[in-house]
Amino acid sequence: MARDLRALFGSNEQVGAGEAFTNRQAQWNAVASALTEHLARITDPAFDVQDLEAPRHNVIVFHGVGGIGKSTLSRKLEAALTDTARRPAQWGEPAWPDSPRLLPVRVDLARSAGTDFEQLVLTLRLALARHVGRGLPAFDIALRRYWDTVHPGEPLEEYLRRRGLAAMAGEALPGQIKGAVGEAAQQLALPGVVGSAAGQVAAALVSALRQRHEKARALAGCARLADLLEAEPDLEVLSYYPHLLAWEIARLPAKKSVVPVVLLDGFEDVGDRTHRDLERLLQRVVWLMPGALFIVTGRSRLQWADPALSGQLDYTGPAAWPGLAPASTPLVPGARTPAPAAGPRQLLIGDFSADDCEDYLAHRLTTPDDQPLIPADIRAVIARRSHGLPLHLDLSALRFLEIRRTRTPVPEDFEADFAALIARTLQDLTGDERHVLRAAALLDAFDIPLATAAAGMNHDAPALRLVERPLVHEDPAALWPYHLHALVRSTLRSADDRTDDRWSEQDWQRAADRAHTALGSQWTAAGTGDRALLVGCLRQGLRLARDHRLDLGWLADAAWDYVSDSIWEPLDPPASASTAGQASTGRPRGAAPLATPADALVETLSTIAARQREHRTHTADRLTRVIDSRLLPEDLTDMALYYRAKAHRDLGRGTASRQGMQQVAAGTTRLAPAARRGLVHLARTSGDFPTAHEAAQTLGWAGRQHRVLGDLAWVHAQMDQATTYYEAARTDAEEHGVAGERATSQAQLAFVRALTDPETADDDLDLAAQLLAGLDLRATTLTTRIAALLRDAGTGGDAIPERANILDAEIRASGVRAARTTLVLALCFHHAVLDDNALDAAIRGLDQLTRGHDYAYYTDIAHFMAGRPLQFPSAARWLDDPEAVRNRWRTLVTNRQDRLPSTR
């Protein structure tokens, strides 16, 4: 493991500071597979190193965000291929044969390394000089002629020493080249003085090759040697010389046979999408050396398989580079051009797993006795904050040493991001791309039009280039297909950005306003009916409005559309930077102060959705807090009032519920009809059926008139009427496209059918389950569970009471009192059918649950079912003679008793 001098010199103590390397098994497997295929291909008798038309399979690409560990992987691959003893144990033994020998050659293309194209070509030749130990005439003569022309008077030895290449056989190479030139001169019978001039030797060799002279037979097999020697030497011509090198390697004797594995690291610094001059030269090397395997590491995938680059690069298209071509290029929703996925030889280097992060931090800094220097609790915080990015882990290790100089580090010291990450992220992006990146950091997910609009630009090109970068992840099936790497995004938004083009607070505010407007435009343009887009726009829009104190704008209309479908997908946006710390200190959810209308609307919609998953008491308390804040406009305040009134009703707080419903019903907001329905419902639950029935006649579709009438009919055991009403309610919901209401009406229909026709109820329950799929309707789901019990009522054994106990526990957790009373009524029906001793206890339980509360008449119904006299009737005002109601309920029980012998 290499020593890390930064860490070593960061402490006075003897701290173990190594370059930790975690398991990159998948990447090693990809290299091993590519190398095995490559060796099989080049050892095939049909392989021809001079074939310039065959597709190339000799490149594999690893790309990923800055700091993901690409260079570390490149160095580790070089070491593992050079010496098996330096291969990580977890990588296992290689599957390829020992012969021919592999010759790893790593070239750092990063700007900081200062590698130019000349140096790359010389590096390849130096690696061979050390291994082969003799001249390679075809290449060496051409190189010598190039050198004498381009570097007159500068000895190659001096150049190699000055560029730091002398250690790579720098002393042997000039001698080998000189020997190759001299040997060619001798074969051509040139005079000694002339033979020392590469130009003269090259000219004589060209003449001999053209005339197919016997003296040139050793090099006659290289078909393009004469043409290359005739060309006037310059950098462009030099880029074709690797063809000569490939030919020389192919004709090495078996004992000297070698397969170069060239690792090109830092490929992102080769150029950009506009200036491809160096990339063109490098691609030419790869193409002209098909016998070598090239392992490229960089931030972006190679575009060589894109036919559109024809003319910028020499060899392009999927036919030329099958392994680099995407399998398909699906059109991304919202994008204006296809977004290709990486090909099988283009591999994204992923983030570290949680175990990898722990392993990295445990070995990154160690005590003299080889124990982790960073405590476990701090390692856990660092790993969580890193999102698996190795650079964050590395920077955190250095921060640990820096803090340790003056005090003992604590976990809270590492709840921060690093500005250095921004510099690493932005360094190879253009100015426009950096501008789009910052704007995109405001969004959880985005498409090309959304990113462009948020950035305030009038052309898509920067966004199109940005999404090709590995810091942008893609999910083609998502509503918006792109999202930034989580750590990059959080760092851009929160770290102290000291870059030259950093944004001011006003810049961020303007971008947030543009992003918010663009989301609203997408939702408006889509029209009604696209529920996924509505919810997605709400989630992102609510967070932007909350975090940046924006006006509600389109969010108000979107909020009404959200509640109108009664589906209740979770809407809670991520905690803002100002409230994230409160969550970690244990402050109760929703306790952050409400300062803006956006805060209040976020809390309102989150509460309304969350009531499907939490106790109604929490719902009422949270909505009370919103109402008391007086931050919402009148219509949205009515929304909070209405759903608080519903929560009060579910909790059995009839008076409080009635007050809220009356306040909303007296207004003109969109929930006034629903509030009038709520008042009807309250009249029904109190047993004032005539009032409820009269008011229901005026509700219409907006007040769900058919469902309300069905609710009145079934408590009177008028099941045929209830069935008709619920079917009509379901049809109304289908015509209006309200999925939640359709599911609720179907659940009520299944409830009625479970009482009257258990066999038919199976189909109705199945349909209710289908309609509820993907919806979050807790009370409706409970209705179907109770209906399933009613369908099975009268069966022997303890199955029904056991199922009822389990369901009762779930209902208690929700706080929906109506569901509890209905469940106990269903149990009474079951015991009435069996006519067993448990009926007395069930009726007593129902009486205790409803006495002094709503649904007191359920105890009357339980007596009607059992055919028992009612000593203390409730105050219910029935729609017809109570005796008729009694008879109908009793008939339902006797009918079920009659069906049991033949159907159960």
Side-chain angles (χ1 to χ4, degrees), residues 202-284:
L205 180 56
V206 169
S207 177
L209 288 170
R210 296 293 190 203
Q211 298 173 15
R212 301 189 180 184
H213 200 284
E214 180 67 19
K215 295 177 180 180
R217 67 181 183 275
L219 297 176
C222 187
R224 295 171 180 83
L225 175 58
D227 297 287
L228 288 174
L229 291 177
E230 280 185 322
E232 186 64 27
D234 58 18
L235 198 64
E236 186 78 8
V237 174
L238 177 65
S239 69
Y240 288 99
Y241 289 178
H243 172 72
L244 305 178
L245 200 59
W247 182 78
E248 289 283 11
I249 294 171
R251 72 187 192 116
L252 287 173
K255 290 184 178 180
K256 294 292 186 178
S257 179
V258 68
V259 176
V261 180
V262 184
L263 300 105
L264 301 177
D265 187 32
F267 206 85
E268 67 272 9
D269 283 345
V270 164
D272 55 41
R273 299 302 164 89
T274 303
H275 304 92
R276 295 182 182 268
D277 296 337
L278 180 54
E279 184 179 5
R280 186 179 70 255
L281 300 179
L282 289 173
Q283 190 213 45
R284 193 174 290 158

Side-chain angles (χ1 to χ4, degrees), residues 36 121 162 291 542 678:
T36 301
V121 173
R162 184 163 44 84
L542 286 170

Side-chain angles (χ1 to χ4, degrees), residues 355-626:
D355 289 341
D356 279 345
C357 290
E358 167 62 25
D359 187 55
Y360 184 102
L361 292 169
H363 292 88
R364 183 66 176 80
L365 301 175
T366 55
T367 61
D369 58 350
D370 205 31
Q371 294 300 308
L373 183 66
I374 304 176
D377 55 346
I378 294 180
R379 296 202 302 270
V381 172
I382 294 172
R384 173 176 55 80
R385 295 279 305 182
S386 74
H387 293 279
L389 188 68
L391 177 59
H392 184 96
L393 303 177
D394 189 52
L395 293 172
S396 297
L398 297 178
R399 174 177 283 175
F400 181 87
L401 289 178
E402 182 179 351
I403 296 173
R404 193 167 172 265
R405 295 173 187 168
T406 56
R407 60 177 174 84
T408 301
V410 295
E412 289 72 20
D413 293 326
F414 300 88
E415 291 283 1
D417 294 312
F418 293 96
L421 277 169
I422 299 179
R424 288 288 295 272
T425 299
L426 302 182
Q427 66 182 10
D428 63 329
L429 301 180
T430 66
D432 283 350
E433 288 170 359
R434 293 195 294 271
H435 190 75
V436 175
L437 175 65
R438 286 189 168 95
L442 291 165
L443 297 162
D444 302 325
F446 58 93
D447 57 15
I448 299 299
L450 187 55
T452 299
M457 308 190 83
N458 56 12
H459 58 291
D460 291 339
L464 289 168
R465 293 195 302 269
L466 180 67
V467 298
E468 294 178 353
R469 306 282 186 170
L471 56 87
V472 178
H473 296 176
E474 181 184 1
D475 179 4
L479 179 63
W480 292 287
Y482 305 113
H483 62 277
L484 295 183
H485 185 283
L487 182 60
V488 171
R489 182 184 178 213
S490 67
T491 304
L492 280 168
R493 294 172 60 201
S494 62
D496 186 12
D497 184 351
R498 295 299 179 184
T499 54
D500 289 342
D501 57 353
R502 63 185 180 272
W503 278 9
S504 67
E505 286 299 321
Q506 289 74 23
D507 290 329
W508 284 107
Q509 188 70 19
R510 285 189 288 267
D513 189 47
R514 290 193 300 264
H516 185 261
T517 301
L519 284 166
S521 297
Q522 283 201 1
W523 170 64
T524 302
T528 59
D530 193 336
R531 182 74 184 182
L533 182 62
L534 166 67
V535 173
C537 288
L538 268 175
R539 284 174 180 158
Q540 297 215 67
L542 286 170
R543 182 184 55 74
L544 286 168
R546 179 199 64 191
D547 294 353
H548 298 274
R549 294 175 174 263
L550 304 177
D551 293 336
L552 294 181
W554 60 271
L555 286 173
D557 288 335
W560 284 111
D561 268 20
Y562 172 76
V563 301
S564 67
D565 281 345
S566 303
I567 296 179
W568 314 123
E569 304 92 334
L571 279 180
D572 304 61
S576 63
S578 61
T579 60
Q582 295 165 357
S584 64
T585 59
R587 266 183 94 167
R589 181 186 180 187
L594 303 178
T596 68
D599 288 334
L601 184 56
V602 167
E603 182 69 0
T604 299
L605 295 181
S606 299
T607 301
I608 292 172
R611 71 197 172 100
Q612 305 297 332
R613 300 174 297 280
E614 65 183 18
H615 199 281
R616 291 298 197 269
T617 300
H618 299 308
T619 303
D621 292 346
R622 292 176 67 182
L623 291 175
T624 296
R625 185 164 153 269
V626 171

Side-chain angles (χ1 to χ4, degrees), residues 679-697:
L679 291 172
V680 172
H681 185 78
L682 288 167
R684 177 176 63 83
T685 60
S686 67
D688 188 359
F689 300 125
T691 298
H693 188 267
E694 181 181 358
Q697 308 304 314

Side-chain angles (χ1 to χ4, degrees), residues 33-82:
S33 175
L35 191 49
T36 301
E37 293 177 14
H38 181 72
L39 292 174
R41 186 175 295 107
I42 65 175
T43 54
D44 189 307
F47 176 74
D48 182 4
V49 75
Q50 297 193 82
D51 185 348
L52 299 182
E53 297 181 358
R56 293 304 194 250
H57 304 270
N58 62 328
V59 61
I60 181 171
V61 181
F62 294 108
H63 60 105
V65 298
I68 199 66
K70 301 180 296 295
S71 294
T72 302
L73 174 65
S74 180
R75 289 192 294 270
K76 185 60 66 173
L77 288 171
E78 179 193 24
L81 295 171
T82 302

